Amino acid sequence: MMPLSQLASSMARYYFSLRNGRLFDDIDGLELPDIAAVRAEAVAFARDLMRLDYDRRDWSQWIVRVTDENHNVVFDLPFAEAV
Amino acid sequence: MTDAQLNGRNRLLAALTPLDLALLAPHLQSTRYKQGVVLQEPGDPIDRVYFPESGMISLLAVMAAGNGVETATIGREGVVGVMAGLSGRNGTGRAVVQVGGDFSHIAVGHFQTAIDQSPAMRELMARYNDAQITLVYQVAGCNALHQVATRLCRWLLQTRDRCDSDVIPLTHEFLSEMLGVQRSTVTVLARELQDLGLIHYRRGRIEIIDRGRLEQKACECYATARRTIDKVYAEPET
């Protein structure tokens, strides 16, 4: 297990891609401190896209897929859960 | 600073007559600042006036919670802190170095003494100050009314003009703050522009590939802002 001191400052890179509604692969990623920040980014990302694409009505298929440095899926966030 | 050291890249300094420039030159200094250096906090007295020779300063409106939003960016076409020279007021926003570079600066007392001796220089500084206020109005309208993708195009072009380079070192954080969207959203927007062949984008380094088409995609505010600044330097109509 990682020592607490190291855990507190362990920034890691996460990738925020889109699936189903639209295919988008994030190859840049963002450095974030913890899973709470990762979830907050995913929710705000989905809200941004729903806010910015005024004409679209149906977001039910859209998903934010968060992956880590090793291409493992951290979680999928359906847009419906970000409303 | 001697005349030889004044490289004349700042458009305001370059527009001064030799006599007016001679009033400022003995008191001008040049400093290289890196990205992120805070030059001015809101409410503090302004003690220096900055003339960027390269790089870019952004002015942010700071809210009580500490978060901010972009109100203006100033490069070598302008000056930061000129209001203090004209009226002795305190700073209204936070001034941060957004793109590192060389910045000429002068103590505000020396600046005031100089413009008190030259009505022509005072007039030029006042014209620039008026243009800056016009641009802030424009940004307020743009932030409220224009789509985020067209606003991104405008900021890229504007930063290109400020830095005089097609390669512009803007971070995710900077663009997301300017546009008021998440960093992931910036990635999506930048990729769209890349897929159209307008820019090349990788982790905070953006290269403009097709400036003409980027201008077509930018909102009207880019052209309006350029005209507003050019008018400052235009010969007075007779």
Side-chain angles (χ1 to χ4, degrees):
Chain A
M1 208 169 118
M2 206 185 285
L4 259 183
S5 58
Q6 211 179 320
L7 199 65
S9 64
S10 61
M11 294 287 277
R13 191 164 285 276
Y14 294 90
Y15 299 82
F16 297 83
S17 298
L18 297 173
R19 287 290 175 273
N20 297 358
R22 173 180 161 186
L23 196 63
F24 172 78
D25 285 314
D26 180 12
I27 52 170
D28 296 303
L30 294 176
E31 295 258 332
L32 292 167
D34 53 40
I35 194 69
V38 175
R39 188 160 284 279
E41 175 72 25
V43 169
F45 181 33
R47 283 184 186 164
D48 256 0
L49 294 180
M50 288 188 277
R51 181 169 61 90
L52 298 173
D53 196 351
Y54 314 101
D55 299 335
R56 183 176 296 281
R57 289 281 176 274
D58 182 13
W59 296 94
S60 59
Q61 299 300 308
W62 288 56
I63 282 171
V64 180
R65 171 158 294 174
V66 183
T67 51
D68 63 17
E69 206 80 71
N70 304 315
H71 307 290
N72 295 319
V73 176
V74 181
F75 60 83
D76 277 344
L77 177 86
F79 275 40
E81 288 177 22
V83 177
Chain B
M1 194 185 275
T2 65
D3 286 0
Q5 284 169 294
L6 276 171
N7 48 27
R9 281 181 291 171
N10 180 275
R11 205 168 162 189
L12 265 173
L13 294 181
L16 295 175
T17 64
L19 277 176
D20 283 347
L21 188 59
L23 293 173
L24 296 177
H27 309 291
L28 276 173
Q29 292 182 301
S30 183
T31 306
R32 177 161 292 181
Y33 291 111
K34 287 184 180 164
Q35 185 173 54
V37 173
V38 176
L39 300 175
Q40 176 73 44
E41 285 287 3
D44 288 355
I46 293 177
D47 47 15
R48 276 178 177 178
V49 179
Y50 294 90
F51 298 90
E53 303 287 351
S54 60
M56 183 173 87
I57 294 168
S58 67
L59 300 182
L60 297 114
V62 183
M63 301 296 129
N67 54 339
V69 68
E70 198 78 15
T71 58
T73 59
I74 291 125
R76 58 188 191 84
E77 82 301 332
V79 54
V80 172
V82 72
M83 191 96 91
L86 296 169
S87 68
R89 300 238 167 77
N90 288 358
T92 47
R94 175 181 293 151
V96 187
V97 175
Q98 207 58 256
V99 176
D102 294 316
F103 298 86
S104 292
H105 50 86
I106 183 170
V108 76
H110 287 131
F111 180 74
Q112 280 168 336
T113 306
I115 62 171
D116 283 348
Q117 293 173 63
S118 166
M121 182 154 54
R122 172 179 289 276
E123 162 65 19
L124 176 65
M125 298 300 166
R127 271 214 311 276
Y128 177 81
N129 196 51
D130 288 348
Q132 192 60 60
I133 291 167
T134 305
L135 294 185
V136 170
Y137 276 107
Q138 186 85 24
V139 166
C142 182
N143 285 347
L145 299 173
H146 291 154
Q147 289 211 6
V148 67
T150 66
R151 284 167 52 214
L152 174 60
C153 295
R154 174 168 79 86
W155 281 115
L156 295 178
L157 288 163
Q158 215 161 300
T159 308
R160 192 226 154 269
D161 292 350
R162 304 284 188 261
C163 304
D164 226 358
S165 161
D166 282 326
V167 177
I168 45 187
L170 291 181
T171 62
H172 264 91
E173 283 80 1
F174 175 67
L175 287 169
S176 75
E177 240 179 46
M178 277 192 320
L179 299 169
V181 298
Q182 293 304 116
R183 290 183 290 168
S184 299
T185 311
V186 172
T187 309
V188 172
L189 296 169
R191 182 79 63 80
E192 283 173 357
L193 295 179
Q194 177 162 289
D195 290 346
L196 291 169
L198 305 184
I199 64 169
H200 185 262
Y201 171 82
R202 194 72 216 269
R203 274 194 194 165
R205 180 186 174 278
I206 297 169
E207 185 177 359
I208 294 178
I209 305 289
D210 192 334
R211 188 174 159 196
R213 280 172 60 219
L214 197 60
E215 283 184 25
Q216 286 169 18
K217 215 174 149 47
C219 60
E220 72 205 45
C221 300
Y222 172 64
T224 306
R226 272 190 80 132
R227 276 199 306 274
T228 303
I229 290 294
D230 284 344
K231 258 202 262 176
V232 173
Y233 299 104
E235 294 296 319
E237 285 166 37
T238 49

